[in-house]
């Protein structure tokens, strides 16, 4: 079975870094209630924050989503797992993301890492992603990973709030 896994907000968490940058720029630490349901850079007056995604090093030191390493390793040992990231929009992110994966997921072979602009080019049995638009274009079954910006999004895709739920979904599948 081929399982494709997105990076940002699925195995790598951008939100802590955005919260830090927002606080540095605006002198206010956002509460979860203030940003849930959207991206921090989409808040009124904060749209220039999106530019940080173009900075070299932005993606280099993101925290790992809880339990991602352990569960991805288990899946990798049992299935054909690919990392599938639409990293090409942010050219510096590709270097950062390769290094980040090497540091946190060293068991993933470089041939199993794919950077693209549109995930619709990929084929697999499953794609674990936090964006419905990526799941819509994927040639396989989409699994929505809950992130702060998609909490209220209505979708027909099965929703997973954490990696333990992903583990249970794939348990016993060959």
């Amino acid at each position: 079975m081929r399982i494709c896994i997105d990076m940002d907000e699925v195995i790598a968490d951008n939100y802590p870094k955005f919260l830090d940058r927002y606080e540095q720029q605006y002198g206010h630490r956002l509460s979860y209630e203030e940003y849930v349901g959207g991206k921090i850079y989409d808040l009124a007056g904060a749209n220039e924050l999106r530019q940080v995604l173009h900075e070299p090093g932005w993606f280099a030191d993101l925290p790992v989503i809880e339990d991602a390493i352990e569960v991805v390793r288990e899946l990798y040992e049992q299935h054909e797992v690919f990392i599938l990231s639409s990293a090409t929009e942010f050219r510096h992110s590709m270097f950062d993301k390769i290094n980040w994966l090497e540091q946190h997921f060293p068991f993933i072979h470089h041939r199993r890492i794919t950077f693209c602009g549109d995930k619709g080019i990929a084929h697999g049995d499953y794609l674990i992603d936090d964006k419905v638009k990526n799941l819509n274009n994927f040639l396989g079954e989409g699994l929505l990973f809950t992130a702060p910006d998609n909490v209220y999004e209505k979708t027909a895709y099965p929703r997973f709030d954490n990696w333990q739920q992903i583990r249970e979904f794939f348990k016993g599948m060959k």
Side-chain angles (χ1 to χ4, degrees), residues 15 19 29-43 146-153 159 161:
Y15 275 86
L19 288 169
R29 184 70 173 194
L30 292 168
S31 68
Y32 181 76
E33 293 73 27
E34 289 176 289
Y35 67 84
V36 68
K39 294 286 191 184
I40 292 172
Y41 53 74
D42 288 336
L43 294 172
T146 299
D149 59 295
N150 73 25
V151 166
Y152 303 124
E153 191 160 354
R159 181 183 284 274
D161 295 330

PDB file of all heavy atoms in Angstrom, residues 15 19 29-43 146-153 159 161:
ATOM      1  N   TYR A  15       2.648  26.458  13.492  1.00  0.00           N
ATOM      2  CA  TYR A  15       1.913  27.391  14.352  1.00  0.00           C
ATOM      3  C   TYR A  15       2.740  27.992  15.487  1.00  0.00           C
ATOM      4  O   TYR A  15       2.656  29.209  15.718  1.00  0.00           O
ATOM      5  CB  TYR A  15       0.614  26.761  14.857  1.00  0.00           C
ATOM      6  CG  TYR A  15      -0.495  26.932  13.852  1.00  0.00           C
ATOM      7  CD1 TYR A  15      -0.671  26.028  12.826  1.00  0.00           C
ATOM      8  CD2 TYR A  15      -1.330  28.048  13.901  1.00  0.00           C
ATOM      9  CE1 TYR A  15      -1.662  26.205  11.878  1.00  0.00           C
ATOM     10  CE2 TYR A  15      -2.323  28.233  12.966  1.00  0.00           C
ATOM     11  CZ  TYR A  15      -2.493  27.309  11.952  1.00  0.00           C
ATOM     12  OH  TYR A  15      -3.468  27.499  11.012  1.00  0.00           O
ATOM     13  N   LEU A  19       3.101  32.010  15.909  1.00  0.00           N
ATOM     14  CA  LEU A  19       2.670  32.684  17.137  1.00  0.00           C
ATOM     15  C   LEU A  19       3.793  33.549  17.707  1.00  0.00           C
ATOM     16  O   LEU A  19       3.560  34.688  18.138  1.00  0.00           O
ATOM     17  CB  LEU A  19       2.216  31.657  18.172  1.00  0.00           C
ATOM     18  CG  LEU A  19       0.896  30.969  17.873  1.00  0.00           C
ATOM     19  CD1 LEU A  19       0.684  29.784  18.810  1.00  0.00           C
ATOM     20  CD2 LEU A  19      -0.267  31.945  17.976  1.00  0.00           C
ATOM     21  N   ARG A  29       0.401  38.031  22.316  1.00  0.00           N
ATOM     22  CA  ARG A  29       0.409  36.576  22.100  1.00  0.00           C
ATOM     23  C   ARG A  29      -1.023  36.133  21.852  1.00  0.00           C
ATOM     24  O   ARG A  29      -1.900  36.309  22.685  1.00  0.00           O
ATOM     25  CB  ARG A  29       0.978  35.867  23.334  1.00  0.00           C
ATOM     26  CG  ARG A  29       1.117  34.361  23.174  1.00  0.00           C
ATOM     27  CD  ARG A  29       2.217  34.062  22.207  1.00  0.00           C
ATOM     28  NE  ARG A  29       2.527  32.646  22.117  1.00  0.00           N
ATOM     29  CZ  ARG A  29       3.609  32.185  21.549  1.00  0.00           C
ATOM     30  NH1 ARG A  29       4.502  33.015  21.036  1.00  0.00           N
ATOM     31  NH2 ARG A  29       3.821  30.905  21.461  1.00  0.00           N
ATOM     32  N   LEU A  30      -1.248  35.583  20.674  1.00  0.00           N
ATOM     33  CA  LEU A  30      -2.594  35.130  20.318  1.00  0.00           C
ATOM     34  C   LEU A  30      -2.984  33.903  21.131  1.00  0.00           C
ATOM     35  O   LEU A  30      -2.165  33.004  21.342  1.00  0.00           O
ATOM     36  CB  LEU A  30      -2.650  34.755  18.830  1.00  0.00           C
ATOM     37  CG  LEU A  30      -2.519  35.883  17.825  1.00  0.00           C
ATOM     38  CD1 LEU A  30      -2.309  35.315  16.425  1.00  0.00           C
ATOM     39  CD2 LEU A  30      -3.751  36.776  17.862  1.00  0.00           C
ATOM     40  N   SER A  31      -4.231  33.863  21.526  1.00  0.00           N
ATOM     41  CA  SER A  31      -4.775  32.648  22.138  1.00  0.00           C
ATOM     42  C   SER A  31      -5.308  31.766  21.016  1.00  0.00           C
ATOM     43  O   SER A  31      -5.574  32.235  19.905  1.00  0.00           O
ATOM     44  CB  SER A  31      -5.906  32.992  23.110  1.00  0.00           C
ATOM     45  OG  SER A  31      -7.030  33.481  22.390  1.00  0.00           O
ATOM     46  N   TYR A  32      -5.465  30.494  21.310  1.00  0.00           N
ATOM     47  CA  TYR A  32      -5.992  29.548  20.320  1.00  0.00           C
ATOM     48  C   TYR A  32      -7.329  30.033  19.763  1.00  0.00           C
ATOM     49  O   TYR A  32      -7.570  29.955  18.558  1.00  0.00           O
ATOM     50  CB  TYR A  32      -6.128  28.170  20.972  1.00  0.00           C
ATOM     51  CG  TYR A  32      -6.637  27.097  20.051  1.00  0.00           C
ATOM     52  CD1 TYR A  32      -5.813  26.531  19.090  1.00  0.00           C
ATOM     53  CD2 TYR A  32      -7.956  26.635  20.139  1.00  0.00           C
ATOM     54  CE1 TYR A  32      -6.268  25.539  18.237  1.00  0.00           C
ATOM     55  CE2 TYR A  32      -8.419  25.647  19.293  1.00  0.00           C
ATOM     56  CZ  TYR A  32      -7.576  25.098  18.337  1.00  0.00           C
ATOM     57  OH  TYR A  32      -8.042  24.128  17.497  1.00  0.00           O
ATOM     58  N   GLU A  33      -8.169  30.563  20.627  1.00  0.00           N
ATOM     59  CA  GLU A  33      -9.490  31.035  20.210  1.00  0.00           C
ATOM     60  C   GLU A  33      -9.411  32.186  19.205  1.00  0.00           C
ATOM     61  O   GLU A  33     -10.311  32.363  18.393  1.00  0.00           O
ATOM     62  CB  GLU A  33     -10.322  31.474  21.426  1.00  0.00           C
ATOM     63  CG  GLU A  33     -10.714  30.342  22.362  1.00  0.00           C
ATOM     64  CD  GLU A  33      -9.551  29.808  23.204  1.00  0.00           C
ATOM     65  OE1 GLU A  33      -8.597  30.555  23.480  1.00  0.00           O
ATOM     66  OE2 GLU A  33      -9.599  28.607  23.541  1.00  0.00           O
ATOM     67  N   GLU A  34      -8.336  32.943  19.235  1.00  0.00           N
ATOM     68  CA  GLU A  34      -8.182  34.085  18.329  1.00  0.00           C
ATOM     69  C   GLU A  34      -7.786  33.667  16.917  1.00  0.00           C
ATOM     70  O   GLU A  34      -8.024  34.415  15.973  1.00  0.00           O
ATOM     71  CB  GLU A  34      -7.141  35.062  18.875  1.00  0.00           C
ATOM     72  CG  GLU A  34      -7.607  35.814  20.101  1.00  0.00           C
ATOM     73  CD  GLU A  34      -6.520  36.697  20.667  1.00  0.00           C
ATOM     74  OE1 GLU A  34      -5.537  36.155  21.233  1.00  0.00           O
ATOM     75  OE2 GLU A  34      -6.648  37.937  20.541  1.00  0.00           O
ATOM     76  N   TYR A  35      -7.154  32.508  16.761  1.00  0.00           N
ATOM     77  CA  TYR A  35      -6.720  32.118  15.416  1.00  0.00           C
ATOM     78  C   TYR A  35      -7.333  30.823  14.902  1.00  0.00           C
ATOM     79  O   TYR A  35      -7.201  30.504  13.715  1.00  0.00           O
ATOM     80  CB  TYR A  35      -5.189  32.058  15.316  1.00  0.00           C
ATOM     81  CG  TYR A  35      -4.526  30.976  16.134  1.00  0.00           C
ATOM     82  CD1 TYR A  35      -4.411  29.676  15.646  1.00  0.00           C
ATOM     83  CD2 TYR A  35      -4.000  31.250  17.387  1.00  0.00           C
ATOM     84  CE1 TYR A  35      -3.794  28.687  16.390  1.00  0.00           C
ATOM     85  CE2 TYR A  35      -3.374  30.263  18.137  1.00  0.00           C
ATOM     86  CZ  TYR A  35      -3.287  28.980  17.627  1.00  0.00           C
ATOM     87  OH  TYR A  35      -2.678  28.001  18.358  1.00  0.00           O
ATOM     88  N   VAL A  36      -7.999  30.056  15.744  1.00  0.00           N
ATOM     89  CA  VAL A  36      -8.578  28.799  15.286  1.00  0.00           C
ATOM     90  C   VAL A  36      -9.570  29.063  14.153  1.00  0.00           C
ATOM     91  O   VAL A  36     -10.295  30.049  14.161  1.00  0.00           O
ATOM     92  CB  VAL A  36      -9.246  28.011  16.442  1.00  0.00           C
ATOM     93  CG1 VAL A  36     -10.500  28.723  16.967  1.00  0.00           C
ATOM     94  CG2 VAL A  36      -9.581  26.591  16.004  1.00  0.00           C
ATOM     95  N   GLY A  37      -9.517  28.217  13.154  1.00  0.00           N
ATOM     96  CA  GLY A  37     -10.394  28.369  11.994  1.00  0.00           C
ATOM     97  C   GLY A  37      -9.749  29.102  10.836  1.00  0.00           C
ATOM     98  O   GLY A  37     -10.357  29.282   9.785  1.00  0.00           O
ATOM     99  N   GLY A  38      -8.494  29.530  10.987  1.00  0.00           N
ATOM    100  CA  GLY A  38      -7.810  30.241   9.906  1.00  0.00           C
ATOM    101  C   GLY A  38      -6.310  30.252  10.122  1.00  0.00           C
ATOM    102  O   GLY A  38      -5.801  29.758  11.128  1.00  0.00           O
ATOM    103  N   LYS A  39      -5.630  30.806   9.162  1.00  0.00           N
ATOM    104  CA  LYS A  39      -4.179  30.965   9.269  1.00  0.00           C
ATOM    105  C   LYS A  39      -3.892  32.251  10.033  1.00  0.00           C
ATOM    106  O   LYS A  39      -4.619  33.248   9.890  1.00  0.00           O
ATOM    107  CB  LYS A  39      -3.537  31.053   7.882  1.00  0.00           C
ATOM    108  CG  LYS A  39      -3.651  29.779   7.064  1.00  0.00           C
ATOM    109  CD  LYS A  39      -2.719  28.735   7.588  1.00  0.00           C
ATOM    110  CE  LYS A  39      -2.614  27.560   6.625  1.00  0.00           C
ATOM    111  NZ  LYS A  39      -1.784  26.497   7.173  1.00  0.00           N
ATOM    112  N   ILE A  40      -2.841  32.271  10.803  1.00  0.00           N
ATOM    113  CA  ILE A  40      -2.486  33.457  11.573  1.00  0.00           C
ATOM    114  C   ILE A  40      -2.244  34.640  10.652  1.00  0.00           C
ATOM    115  O   ILE A  40      -2.644  35.763  10.935  1.00  0.00           O
ATOM    116  CB  ILE A  40      -1.274  33.167  12.488  1.00  0.00           C
ATOM    117  CG1 ILE A  40      -1.702  32.178  13.585  1.00  0.00           C
ATOM    118  CG2 ILE A  40      -0.706  34.448  13.092  1.00  0.00           C
ATOM    119  CD1 ILE A  40      -0.583  31.646  14.440  1.00  0.00           C
ATOM    120  N   TYR A  41      -1.637  34.397   9.501  1.00  0.00           N
ATOM    121  CA  TYR A  41      -1.364  35.504   8.579  1.00  0.00           C
ATOM    122  C   TYR A  41      -2.622  36.013   7.868  1.00  0.00           C
ATOM    123  O   TYR A  41      -2.568  37.025   7.182  1.00  0.00           O
ATOM    124  CB  TYR A  41      -0.271  35.149   7.570  1.00  0.00           C
ATOM    125  CG  TYR A  41      -0.484  33.868   6.795  1.00  0.00           C
ATOM    126  CD1 TYR A  41      -1.421  33.780   5.773  1.00  0.00           C
ATOM    127  CD2 TYR A  41       0.285  32.751   7.070  1.00  0.00           C
ATOM    128  CE1 TYR A  41      -1.600  32.611   5.058  1.00  0.00           C
ATOM    129  CE2 TYR A  41       0.118  31.570   6.368  1.00  0.00           C
ATOM    130  CZ  TYR A  41      -0.831  31.506   5.364  1.00  0.00           C
ATOM    131  OH  TYR A  41      -1.018  30.347   4.645  1.00  0.00           O
ATOM    132  N   ASP A  42      -3.741  35.354   8.043  1.00  0.00           N
ATOM    133  CA  ASP A  42      -5.003  35.839   7.476  1.00  0.00           C
ATOM    134  C   ASP A  42      -5.778  36.733   8.442  1.00  0.00           C
ATOM    135  O   ASP A  42      -6.822  37.270   8.085  1.00  0.00           O
ATOM    136  CB  ASP A  42      -5.898  34.665   7.050  1.00  0.00           C
ATOM    137  CG  ASP A  42      -5.379  33.974   5.806  1.00  0.00           C
ATOM    138  OD1 ASP A  42      -4.647  34.619   5.024  1.00  0.00           O
ATOM    139  OD2 ASP A  42      -5.690  32.777   5.622  1.00  0.00           O
ATOM    140  N   LEU A  43      -5.275  36.915   9.655  1.00  0.00           N
ATOM    141  CA  LEU A  43      -5.929  37.805  10.603  1.00  0.00           C
ATOM    142  C   LEU A  43      -5.820  39.247  10.112  1.00  0.00           C
ATOM    143  O   LEU A  43      -4.848  39.608   9.439  1.00  0.00           O
ATOM    144  CB  LEU A  43      -5.284  37.683  11.986  1.00  0.00           C
ATOM    145  CG  LEU A  43      -5.466  36.341  12.686  1.00  0.00           C
ATOM    146  CD1 LEU A  43      -4.618  36.286  13.955  1.00  0.00           C
ATOM    147  CD2 LEU A  43      -6.923  36.093  13.011  1.00  0.00           C
ATOM    148  N   THR A 146      -6.340  17.049  11.092  1.00  0.00           N
ATOM    149  CA  THR A 146      -6.833  18.283  11.702  1.00  0.00           C
ATOM    150  C   THR A 146      -5.681  19.219  12.034  1.00  0.00           C
ATOM    151  O   THR A 146      -4.673  18.819  12.618  1.00  0.00           O
ATOM    152  CB  THR A 146      -7.633  17.972  12.984  1.00  0.00           C
ATOM    153  OG1 THR A 146      -8.749  17.149  12.629  1.00  0.00           O
ATOM    154  CG2 THR A 146      -8.135  19.245  13.636  1.00  0.00           C
ATOM    155  N   ALA A 147      -5.851  20.483  11.626  1.00  0.00           N
ATOM    156  CA  ALA A 147      -4.928  21.566  11.944  1.00  0.00           C
ATOM    157  C   ALA A 147      -5.784  22.744  12.404  1.00  0.00           C
ATOM    158  O   ALA A 147      -6.985  22.792  12.091  1.00  0.00           O
ATOM    159  CB  ALA A 147      -4.099  21.946  10.715  1.00  0.00           C
ATOM    160  N   PRO A 148      -5.211  23.706  13.120  1.00  0.00           N
ATOM    161  CA  PRO A 148      -6.019  24.818  13.619  1.00  0.00           C
ATOM    162  C   PRO A 148      -6.841  25.534  12.541  1.00  0.00           C
ATOM    163  O   PRO A 148      -7.962  25.952  12.797  1.00  0.00           O
ATOM    164  CB  PRO A 148      -4.981  25.766  14.233  1.00  0.00           C
ATOM    165  CG  PRO A 148      -3.906  24.847  14.710  1.00  0.00           C
ATOM    166  CD  PRO A 148      -3.832  23.777  13.632  1.00  0.00           C
ATOM    167  N   ASP A 149      -6.308  25.635  11.327  1.00  0.00           N
ATOM    168  CA  ASP A 149      -7.032  26.365  10.281  1.00  0.00           C
ATOM    169  C   ASP A 149      -8.169  25.566   9.654  1.00  0.00           C
ATOM    170  O   ASP A 149      -9.035  26.143   9.008  1.00  0.00           O
ATOM    171  CB  ASP A 149      -6.075  26.860   9.194  1.00  0.00           C
ATOM    172  CG  ASP A 149      -5.325  25.737   8.529  1.00  0.00           C
ATOM    173  OD1 ASP A 149      -4.536  25.072   9.210  1.00  0.00           O
ATOM    174  OD2 ASP A 149      -5.541  25.516   7.328  1.00  0.00           O
ATOM    175  N   ASN A 150      -8.205  24.239   9.811  1.00  0.00           N
ATOM    176  CA  ASN A 150      -9.273  23.461   9.163  1.00  0.00           C
ATOM    177  C   ASN A 150     -10.282  22.872  10.150  1.00  0.00           C
ATOM    178  O   ASN A 150     -11.127  22.075   9.770  1.00  0.00           O
ATOM    179  CB  ASN A 150      -8.680  22.358   8.272  1.00  0.00           C
ATOM    180  CG  ASN A 150      -8.072  21.198   9.043  1.00  0.00           C
ATOM    181  OD1 ASN A 150      -8.417  20.902  10.174  1.00  0.00           O
ATOM    182  ND2 ASN A 150      -7.127  20.522   8.406  1.00  0.00           N
ATOM    183  N   VAL A 151     -10.198  23.257  11.408  1.00  0.00           N
ATOM    184  CA  VAL A 151     -11.050  22.696  12.461  1.00  0.00           C
ATOM    185  C   VAL A 151     -12.533  22.761  12.096  1.00  0.00           C
ATOM    186  O   VAL A 151     -13.278  21.814  12.326  1.00  0.00           O
ATOM    187  CB  VAL A 151     -10.792  23.415  13.806  1.00  0.00           C
ATOM    188  CG1 VAL A 151     -11.873  23.108  14.830  1.00  0.00           C
ATOM    189  CG2 VAL A 151      -9.429  23.033  14.348  1.00  0.00           C
ATOM    190  N   TYR A 152     -12.966  23.869  11.524  1.00  0.00           N
ATOM    191  CA  TYR A 152     -14.399  24.058  11.230  1.00  0.00           C
ATOM    192  C   TYR A 152     -14.766  23.680   9.796  1.00  0.00           C
ATOM    193  O   TYR A 152     -15.925  23.802   9.406  1.00  0.00           O
ATOM    194  CB  TYR A 152     -14.802  25.509  11.489  1.00  0.00           C
ATOM    195  CG  TYR A 152     -14.516  25.947  12.906  1.00  0.00           C
ATOM    196  CD1 TYR A 152     -13.718  27.058  13.162  1.00  0.00           C
ATOM    197  CD2 TYR A 152     -15.031  25.247  14.002  1.00  0.00           C
ATOM    198  CE1 TYR A 152     -13.448  27.455  14.460  1.00  0.00           C
ATOM    199  CE2 TYR A 152     -14.762  25.643  15.293  1.00  0.00           C
ATOM    200  CZ  TYR A 152     -13.975  26.751  15.518  1.00  0.00           C
ATOM    201  OH  TYR A 152     -13.704  27.143  16.803  1.00  0.00           O
ATOM    202  N   GLU A 153     -13.792  23.236   9.026  1.00  0.00           N
ATOM    203  CA  GLU A 153     -14.052  22.901   7.629  1.00  0.00           C
ATOM    204  C   GLU A 153     -14.895  21.630   7.528  1.00  0.00           C
ATOM    205  O   GLU A 153     -14.572  20.605   8.111  1.00  0.00           O
ATOM    206  CB  GLU A 153     -12.727  22.716   6.881  1.00  0.00           C
ATOM    207  CG  GLU A 153     -12.906  22.639   5.399  1.00  0.00           C
ATOM    208  CD  GLU A 153     -11.622  22.942   4.654  1.00  0.00           C
ATOM    209  OE1 GLU A 153     -10.608  23.325   5.272  1.00  0.00           O
ATOM    210  OE2 GLU A 153     -11.648  22.804   3.425  1.00  0.00           O
ATOM    211  N   ARG A 159     -11.622  12.455   8.994  1.00  0.00           N
ATOM    212  CA  ARG A 159     -10.794  13.411   9.735  1.00  0.00           C
ATOM    213  C   ARG A 159     -10.051  12.682  10.855  1.00  0.00           C
ATOM    214  O   ARG A 159     -10.616  11.866  11.564  1.00  0.00           O
ATOM    215  CB  ARG A 159     -11.664  14.512  10.326  1.00  0.00           C
ATOM    216  CG  ARG A 159     -10.888  15.572  11.095  1.00  0.00           C
ATOM    217  CD  ARG A 159     -11.816  16.592  11.720  1.00  0.00           C
ATOM    218  NE  ARG A 159     -12.344  17.532  10.754  1.00  0.00           N
ATOM    219  CZ  ARG A 159     -11.735  18.649  10.378  1.00  0.00           C
ATOM    220  NH1 ARG A 159     -10.548  18.949  10.867  1.00  0.00           N
ATOM    221  NH2 ARG A 159     -12.304  19.454   9.507  1.00  0.00           N
ATOM    222  N   ASP A 161      -7.476  13.568  14.156  1.00  0.00           N
ATOM    223  CA  ASP A 161      -7.002  14.645  15.025  1.00  0.00           C
ATOM    224  C   ASP A 161      -5.569  14.464  15.490  1.00  0.00           C
ATOM    225  O   ASP A 161      -4.970  15.410  16.011  1.00  0.00           O
ATOM    226  CB  ASP A 161      -7.904  14.761  16.257  1.00  0.00           C
ATOM    227  CG  ASP A 161      -9.317  15.176  15.898  1.00  0.00           C
ATOM    228  OD1 ASP A 161      -9.499  15.896  14.891  1.00  0.00           O
ATOM    229  OD2 ASP A 161     -10.242  14.776  16.635  1.00  0.00           O
TER     230      ASP A 161
END
